Amino acid sequence: MRAFKKFSIDVGQNFSERRLCSLVWKNGKMTEVNVAQEVFAAGQKRARDFAALLGIEHPVLNAPMPVEAGVELVAAVSEAGGLGVLSAAGRTPVELSKTVAAIRARTNKPFAIHLELPAKPLNPQELDAAKMLAEGLAPLFESLGLPNPASAKGAEIYDFSGERRRAHFEAVFERVLELNPAAVVATFGGLREPEADALRDARIFNIATATTLHEAKVLRAAHCDAIVVQGSEAAGPRSSFEDADDTEVGLSSLIPAVAAATKLPVIAAGGLCSAEQALGAVLMGASAVMAGTAFLTTAEARTSAYGRSAALWAAPQHLVRTRLYSGRLTQALRSPLLDALTDYAPHMPPWPAATAMMSALQQKAVELGRNDLEAVYFGQSVGRSAAHSAEDMVLTLARFIS
């Protein structure tokens, strides 16, 4: 169908009524076509088809936040018609089974499990950087009653090398197959061929995460079924695995490029909190949306008291990019702890060495109400959402795309 000339715009009250018309050659004659309606209908159909593929009502997923997205939020998102996503990070196979049982006690609807692919072993220089950070944190840890990370057993206690993560990954993956979720969402790379084949044999949808077009093409070659595109607007650690984590691409550039190049369903993630933003993502080529920050104010989220408050008053100008929390470039609320650790930034050990220590510190900070030490991850939608329930947020995001 060839477009010759755009000649009129008529803005209606609803998007589906808006008219952006073109003269096209169709069925042997010049015909007026409402381009806006056609684009809207195509996007809505694509989103509905994706939802049907997963057996859900709305093409909306929660981000796999390890703490905030617990049993309550994951079950509530699924019960509302979206796809709840549970992070397996930090859980043993037994713990994962118990958590999944608790989710299934609350809902019989589909949900997904998130897997972090293990990092490669740290080299001697990176281990030295981890030890230097441990020495700097040691007085703070001891004052809070935490094991000293610089002690003889510190590297083992906090798993600087990530050895426990690597050793446990295979067992956790096998348990995921037994638990048979509707989908698996992988970050920090694509699953290997044997794992992808196992998911396919178990009829578990294989979703992977990319931050650039290059990474998306790698994932397509790894035979994943859909791709989460994490825009630079997103909260938390970057999910980069091929390109540098400071290669930041926004959703408006990432979505259409990945959709066109891979021909796979694209799930847009990063700074999404409104019906209009979700619609925009779908119009650009996405089949679904994933939100994290937008769910933090909901009753079901396990958000700390400080995080819940900050989610209402904070704005994008209060956010910083830092590797101090995880070893990966991370978008978070600026804090006194980050300011105090500034000198360590150039020498920060890579993930997961930093995460191992910082996770213990964050857990203790929340327990003690130490806002100055708390790590709060926000996307660029912070301050724009005050949803009271997961159902409210799911229905908001799904308003124009379901």
Side-chain angles (χ1 to χ4, degrees):
M1 213 164 50
R2 293 181 297 164
F4 285 84
K5 182 181 178 183
K6 296 177 181 178
F7 67 90
S8 71
I9 299 177
D10 176 19
V11 180
Q13 291 186 353
N14 299 314
F15 183 88
S16 59
E17 296 173 357
R18 295 180 186 178
R19 295 174 58 78
L20 172 59
C21 298
S22 295
L23 284 176
V24 300
W25 186 259
K26 186 177 182 180
N27 298 326
K29 62 180 180 179
M30 297 297 290
T31 306
E32 177 185 328
V33 175
N34 188 327
V35 177
Q37 284 187 348
E38 287 202 350
V39 172
F40 176 81
Q44 193 175 62
K45 181 180 185 302
R46 184 171 57 251
R48 287 174 173 173
D49 288 348
F50 180 76
L53 189 63
L54 286 170
I56 58 179
E57 185 178 353
H58 306 300
V60 175
L61 297 77
N62 67 269
M65 301 172 285
V67 176
E68 294 83 358
V71 170
E72 300 84 1
L73 181 60
V74 174
V77 169
S78 291
E79 190 64 19
L83 186 70
V85 184
L86 173 73
S87 177
R91 289 184 166 92
T92 66
V94 172
E95 291 168 340
L96 184 60
S97 293
K98 291 180 178 178
T99 306
V100 167
I103 292 170
R104 285 180 165 147
R106 290 171 176 260
T107 182
N108 60 2
K109 296 187 176 180
F111 65 94
I113 295 178
H114 162 247
L115 292 172
E116 291 182 350
L117 271 65
K120 62 182 180 181
L122 270 62
N123 60 40
Q125 184 178 358
E126 291 168 338
L127 281 172
D128 287 343
K131 292 174 183 177
M132 184 172 73
L133 177 65
E135 290 171 0
L137 290 173
L140 175 61
F141 273 52
E142 290 187 317
S143 72
L144 297 173
L146 291 169
N148 183 348
S151 66
K153 292 188 176 181
E156 179 183 347
I157 293 172
Y158 295 103
D159 192 25
F160 290 174
S161 66
E163 187 60 40
R164 284 202 298 271
R165 287 174 180 256
R166 288 189 292 276
H168 290 169
F169 180 80
E170 187 174 338
V172 170
F173 182 79
E174 290 298 324
R175 184 58 54 92
V176 168
L177 292 177
E178 295 172 12
L179 295 171
N180 196 235
V184 160
V185 180
T187 52
F188 309 143
L191 294 167
R192 298 173 303 170
E193 185 175 354
E195 294 154 350
D197 289 345
L199 291 182
R200 191 172 298 109
D201 291 343
R203 297 186 178 182
I204 298 172
F205 204 70
N206 179 3
I207 304 173
T209 307
T211 65
T212 64
L213 176 59
H214 171 224
E215 290 180 347
K217 290 179 177 179
V218 172
L219 296 176
R220 177 192 60 185
H223 305 295
C224 67
D225 299 315
I227 299 175
V228 174
V229 291
Q230 185 192 38
S232 57
E233 304 90 342
R238 302 290 292 154
S239 297
S240 311
F241 62 95
E242 283 277 333
D243 296 312
D245 60 8
D246 58 1
T247 305
E248 299 184 71
V249 186
L251 286 181
S252 62
S253 296
L254 200 51
I255 294 170
V258 172
T262 67
K263 303 297 187 291
L264 292 171
V266 168
I267 302 165
L272 304 177
C273 70
S274 71
E276 292 78 12
Q277 287 176 305
L279 173 60
V282 169
L283 293 181
M284 286 188 287
S287 297
V289 296
M290 174 183 280
T293 302
F295 283 101
L296 292 179
T297 59
T298 64
E300 297 89 351
R302 294 181 180 178
T303 312
S304 69
Y306 176 61
R308 194 175 294 274
S309 171
L312 297 175
W313 60 255
Q317 64 266 29
H318 300 128
L319 307 180
V320 296
R321 309 271 190 184
T322 179
R323 292 188 177 86
L324 290 170
Y325 282 141
S326 67
R328 288 177 171 270
L329 195 64
T330 298
Q331 184 162 266
L333 188 67
R334 184 173 181 176
S335 73
L337 176 62
L338 288 181
D339 292 342
L341 292 176
T342 299
D343 291 344
Y344 289 91
H347 313 289
M348 199 66 182
W351 181 85
T355 298
M357 286 182 275
M358 288 300 187
S359 294
L361 176 58
Q362 297 315 311
Q363 186 176 350
K364 180 61 74 169
V366 172
E367 179 185 321
L368 298 177
R370 289 288 301 274
N371 301 346
D372 57 324
L373 301 177
E374 191 173 338
V376 181
Y377 298 162
F378 287 143
Q380 291 180 13
S381 63
V382 64
R384 296 186 53 208
S385 173
H388 296 297
S389 72
E391 181 182 23
D392 288 344
M393 196 68 254
V394 169
L395 295 180
T396 293
L397 292 170
R399 180 180 175 190
F400 297 132
I401 61 176
S402 289

